[in-house]
Amino acid sequence: FHQSYDKIVEISLESYYEEELPGLHSFLDRDKKMMQYTIKGGQCFRGVLVFAATLELIERRGEGAPSSERIQQIMSVGWALEILQAAFLVADDIMDESHTRRGKACWHKVDRVHAYNDVFKLEHFAFYILKRHLSQKDFVSIQDIFRGVILKTAFGQGLDLEYSSLIKQLAVEWPGEEAVRMRLSMPAYDNIVAHKTSFYTFHLPLAAALCLANGGGDEDSNVSANDDREGETSSRITIKKKEKVKSSDDFSACDDGKDRGVLEQRGGGASDEERYPSSSSSPSFSSRRSRGSASSSSSSSSTGEELAKKIGLELGQYFQVQDDFLDVYGDPKKTGKIGTDIEQRKLTWLMAKAVEKTTDEKDLRTLFQPSKRYVEKVREVFSRLSLRDCYLEYEASVCAKIKSWVRQVGSSCSCIE
């Protein structure tokens, strides 16, 4: 996957300049450097997940190895997601006033004048990649998933900023212990994470993989991959007619009181069925569904999709909780960034957990009211509450849950023809 960057991203950028910006090639090198700086450098696991999951689904369905053209199309979706990720990270670093990312200066620290516009440039270039490499039917289905998740992520980022502002307001006006506990709760944190992180980090790659493996919403059993822009016709790709997957693009966000590993100890949490509504209430990836599918196949497919949805959202939660933990306790030399969550007054898992565990209003005030040694004092509260141990318990619990669901997915997939 990593080796395909030049062939998919850089050549597409060169083509865009040739098609849309003739005579302006003097700016091409600048944009190449910007994209290399912001897109590369990470593990690219979202893009790799799209690629690996799609191939795994195709193999499970016994369809044989996809053609080289189809492989490039699948990789293009992975790179489009990595480009989208770059846009999110540049925007997030600007809003959080971060200093480092992936062991180097944040992009807005390198080129503050253009960084704001580069966010839009990256986001829209992701769709150019999709349109350039996918058939029309694939493009319509995949872009619908992308746009739905982008909207959720934007609202999630908004929630993150709103709660940060709320925490800063506590320095000016203290509404009382009960009000603070109610508003800065774990369910509030869960909602931020579900929208800001879970959907685009794990749900989007899995949803895209399901869509690609099912033929991108075609009603016919063949997908014709034509590239009219270059005047060349790629080989016809045959994909078995399968039950079209349902979109979980509009899944309800995590509800109040959800269980999260050891967070189940809170009591009164919603069940997994409440947290992850049945996909029957969600629109399909495509507006069309295959006709004449056997009911047993449909039932098995639906079960697999619902489990994949739950796994994706739970993995996204775990990913963000781990990120929050490392922001405070991680080594910047290993994480590649200097933690600023406490300083930026973020409602993180550690902060929400501290609100949940502390019984001392003095400690509660320490979490939110500024002082000369604010960051240090907040760390001291975390230490008194043994939040390191809480995190390790959470991690063990959630990993066991995810592994159990993965085994169920394997069982479900084996039932699909």
Side-chain angles (χ1 to χ4, degrees), residues 248-260:
S248 33
D249 195 56
D250 290 324
F251 297 146
S252 297
C254 304
D255 297 327
D256 285 357
K258 295 180 295 186
D259 60 311
R260 290 289 183 193

Side-chain angles (χ1 to χ4, degrees), residues 62-354:
E63 298 180 7
S67 67
S68 59
E69 290 85 359
R70 188 59 173 170
I71 286 176
Q72 183 165 329
Q73 290 173 348
I74 296 168
M75 284 182 172
S76 73
V77 177
W79 280 116
L81 179 50
E82 287 300 326
I83 294 168
L84 184 61
Q85 154 77 346
F88 287 156
L89 292 184
V90 173
D92 189 63
D93 288 341
I94 291 172
M95 286 182 270
D96 290 349
E97 299 178 357
S98 299
H99 303 288
T100 59
R101 169 76 65 178
R102 295 170 176 168
K104 56 188 180 184
C106 294
W107 181 243
H108 70 277
K109 294 291 185 179
V110 176
D111 190 347
R112 189 170 189 86
V113 173
H114 295 93
Y116 298 91
N117 187 61
D118 288 334
V119 172
F120 302 113
K121 190 179 288 185
L122 287 163
E123 180 182 337
H124 292 288
F125 188 68
F127 288 97
Y128 177 78
I129 290 282
L130 294 175
K131 189 170 185 179
R132 175 178 169 78
H133 290 87
L134 299 180
S135 67
Q136 180 62 21
K137 289 181 179 179
D138 274 343
F139 173 67
V140 169
S141 300
I142 295 295
Q143 78 152 347
D144 189 52
I145 298 171
F146 267 64
R147 292 194 186 282
V149 171
I150 288 172
L151 184 60
K152 286 183 180 297
T153 305
F155 274 91
Q157 181 68 28
L159 287 172
D160 187 39
L161 294 172
E162 286 291 338
Y163 275 98
S164 182
S165 297
L166 176 62
I167 290 173
K168 291 174 182 176
Q169 183 63 28
L170 295 179
V172 179
E173 180 181 358
W174 184 255
E177 181 179 355
E178 183 178 353
V180 172
R181 291 186 186 281
M182 183 177 66
R183 300 191 69 179
L184 302 177
S185 62
M186 192 61 74
Y189 170 79
D190 288 346
N191 271 304
I192 295 171
V193 173
H195 286 77
K196 180 184 175 182
T197 304
S198 296
F199 280 101
Y200 96 89
T201 299
F202 287 99
H203 167 66
L204 177 50
L206 294 176
L210 283 165
C211 188
L212 289 166
N214 279 277
D218 299 329
E219 287 188 327
D220 300 324
S221 59
N222 294 327
V223 178
S224 179
N226 298 321
D227 192 342
D228 297 331
R229 289 174 300 279
E230 297 182 0
E232 296 177 358
T233 304
S234 302
S235 61
R236 182 172 294 272
I237 302 161
T238 302
I239 297 181
K240 291 183 180 179
K241 185 182 288 185
K242 299 289 179 184
E243 175 76 9
K244 293 297 178 271
V245 296
K246 296 176 181 179
S247 172
S248 33
D249 195 56
D250 290 324
F251 297 146
S252 297
C254 304
D255 297 327
D256 285 357
K258 295 180 295 186
D259 60 311
R260 290 289 183 193
V262 295
L263 304 184
E264 293 172 351
Q265 297 171 2
R266 284 183 283 131
S271 67
D272 286 332
E273 288 72 20
E274 292 171 314
R275 293 169 57 204
Y276 308 118
S278 169
S279 60
S280 62
S281 64
S282 303
S284 62
F285 286 149
S286 167
S287 59
R288 302 181 296 273
R289 292 183 62 84
S290 298
R291 289 178 271 227
S293 298
S295 61
S296 60
S297 175
S298 175
S299 176
S300 297
S301 178
S302 177
T303 300
E305 290 156 23
E306 289 170 13
L307 284 169
K309 172 190 68 176
K310 291 202 295 184
I311 290 169
L313 293 178
E314 195 72 53
L315 278 169
Q317 174 87 2
Y318 172 40
F319 180 85
Q320 185 61 55
V321 172
Q322 184 181 70
D323 189 68
D324 292 349
F325 178 81
L326 292 175
D327 187 272
V328 175
Y329 295 111
D331 181 354
K333 292 180 181 179
K334 295 180 180 179
T335 63
K337 63 179 182 179
I338 300 171
T340 60
D341 284 349
I342 296 176
E343 184 181 350
Q344 292 293 325
R345 307 297 203 275
K346 293 289 184 180
L347 181 58
T348 63
W349 183 85
L350 291 168
M351 193 66 79
K353 193 65 178 173

